[in-house]
Amino acid sequence: KQEVTQIPAALSVPEGENLVLNCSFTDSAIYNLQWFRQDPGKGLTSLLLIQSSQREQTSGRLNASLDKSSGRSTLYIAASQPGDSATYLCAVYFQAGTALIFGKGTTLSVSS
Amino acid sequence: DTAVSQTPKYLVTQMGNDKSIKCEQNLGHDTMYWYKQDSKKFLKIMFSYNNKELIINETVPNRFSPKSPDKAHLNLHINSLELGDSAVYFCASSQGRAHGNNEQFFGPGTRLTVL
């Protein structure tokens, strides 16, 4: 069964800290992996998409890595800010013709 | 311009009613999806259409019927609503089901409350 797991479920850090969010998935034969951000009561905003052939992607203070052999991805957030507070979702596209399989998310709280 | 839009944003209705949620995307994508986010915030695929053809139909009660009049629209009709249908429903689109660069874009969601 294809599953995506995110640990921890919640994380609280002071402003300015660098942090890492973890995502693990079953089945290393994936097409791509996508990180999203969801603010309370809002929709999902796509942050980064990593193709199966890529090792990492960067956007501003965000860096996502992919290690297919170990079934892991990490989202690194540098110099965290209160505005980064949200739920971060990892989703994997395992096969063509299917849909994203989501993890349950990590809820991040950054205090000023 | 909103890339993926849904209407209504909120929907409150009584058990047993029939309701519809509409979704439109202006990204030129040919694949659209419906996801359900339950009370525990877990997102799960319900349906997917590619060029008006149903390609994914997860284990969803047949009270739920998606309809795609064209590749820019995917509507969700729900018959005989039940309390357990209360959730947030998200529409999404992507460039193509077999395309490796399958970045998905989500709408703002429709919060359905069944009383």
Side-chain angles (χ1 to χ4, degrees), chain B residues 45-56:
Chain B
I45 183 69
M46 298 175 70
F47 301 103
S48 176
Y49 270 74
N50 176 260
N51 278 322
K52 302 196 296 176
E53 177 191 351
L54 180 66
I55 56 170
I56 296 174

Side-chain angles (χ1 to χ4, degrees), chain A residues 73-92:
Chain A
S73 174
T74 61
L75 179 66
Y76 175 81
I77 302 177
S80 58
Q81 303 170 357
D84 294 331
S85 298
T87 296
Y88 290 81
L89 294 160
C90 171
V92 177

Side-chain angles (χ1 to χ4, degrees), chain A residues 2-4 30-36 44 46 48-50 89-95 97-103, chain B residues 31 33-35 42-48 56 58 92-94 100-106:
Chain A
Q2 292 163 339
E3 291 184 344
V4 178
I30 68 170
Y31 261 74
N32 59 48
L33 183 146
Q34 200 167 348
W35 282 95
F36 293 90
L44 279 69
S46 178
L48 289 163
L49 171 74
I50 311 179
L89 294 160
C90 171
V92 177
Y93 187 54
F94 283 99
Q95 296 173 278
T98 63
L100 289 172
I101 305 292
F102 280 83
Chain B
T31 303
Y33 310 81
W34 278 110
Y35 289 86
F42 187 49
L43 264 161
K44 194 170 179 186
I45 183 69
M46 298 175 70
F47 301 103
S48 176
I56 296 174
E58 290 296 307
S93 72
S94 67
N101 184 15
N102 192 39
E103 186 173 9
Q104 292 194 19
F105 296 87
F106 280 71

Side-chain angles (χ1 to χ4, degrees), chain A residues 1-69:
Chain A
K1 184 182 176 186
Q2 292 163 339
E3 291 184 344
V4 178
T5 304
Q6 290 185 250
I7 295 172
L11 182 63
S12 293
V13 300
E15 183 176 7
E17 201 164 288
N18 301 326
L19 59 100
V20 173
L21 305 181
N22 297 296
C23 172
S24 61
F25 47 91
T26 56
D27 193 348
S28 60
I30 68 170
Y31 261 74
N32 59 48
L33 183 146
Q34 200 167 348
W35 282 95
F36 293 90
R37 169 187 173 137
Q38 185 174 26
D39 292 282
K42 304 285 187 183
L44 279 69
T45 300
S46 178
L47 297 173
L48 289 163
L49 171 74
I50 311 179
Q51 304 291 351
S52 63
S53 58
Q54 296 173 325
R55 285 287 189 116
E56 63 179 337
Q57 282 285 354
T58 298
S59 175
R61 294 183 293 109
L62 304 179
N63 176 277
S65 68
L66 175 64
D67 183 347
K68 283 194 308 176
S69 61

Side-chain angles (χ1 to χ4, degrees), chain B residues 5-6 9 13 16 20 24 33 36 39-40 43 48 50 53 56 58 64 66 70 81 85-86 88 98-99 107 111 115:
Chain B
S5 59
Q6 296 178 228
K9 190 169 182 182
T13 188
S20 292
E24 176 180 1
Y33 310 81
K36 179 180 179 180
S39 57
K40 296 182 179 177
L43 264 161
S48 176
N50 176 260
E53 177 191 351
I56 296 174
E58 290 296 307
F64 290 77
D70 55 61
L81 279 156
D85 297 333
S86 296
V88 181
H99 204 285
R111 183 174 294 276
L115 303 174

Side-chain angles (χ1 to χ4, degrees), chain B:
Chain B
D1 269 348
T2 305
V4 183
S5 59
Q6 296 178 228
T7 55
K9 190 169 182 182
Y10 299 97
L11 186 53
V12 181
T13 188
Q14 299 286 334
M15 261 197 317
N17 284 350
D18 303 338
K19 291 292 178 186
S20 292
I21 307 172
K22 296 186 176 182
C23 178
E24 176 180 1
Q25 55 94 4
N26 63 8
L27 298 167
H29 290 163
D30 57 9
T31 303
M32 297 184 71
Y33 310 81
W34 278 110
Y35 289 86
K36 179 180 179 180
Q37 188 171 44
D38 61 25
S39 57
K40 296 182 179 177
K41 310 295 184 190
F42 187 49
L43 264 161
K44 194 170 179 186
I45 183 69
M46 298 175 70
F47 301 103
S48 176
Y49 270 74
N50 176 260
N51 278 322
K52 302 196 296 176
E53 177 191 351
L54 180 66
I55 56 170
I56 296 174
N57 184 354
E58 290 296 307
T59 308
V60 176
N62 57 16
R63 298 182 294 104
F64 290 77
S65 52
K67 285 194 170 43
S68 182
D70 55 61
K71 72 175 191 178
H73 295 85
L74 180 61
N75 303 323
L76 183 64
H77 187 76
I78 315 170
N79 288 328
S80 303
L81 279 156
E82 300 177 356
L83 293 176
D85 297 333
S86 296
V88 181
Y89 293 85
F90 286 100
C91 177
S93 72
S94 67
Q95 189 172 353
R97 60 176 171 144
H99 204 285
N101 184 15
N102 192 39
E103 186 173 9
Q104 292 194 19
F105 296 87
F106 280 71
T110 295
R111 183 174 294 276
L112 171 65
T113 302
V114 182
L115 303 174

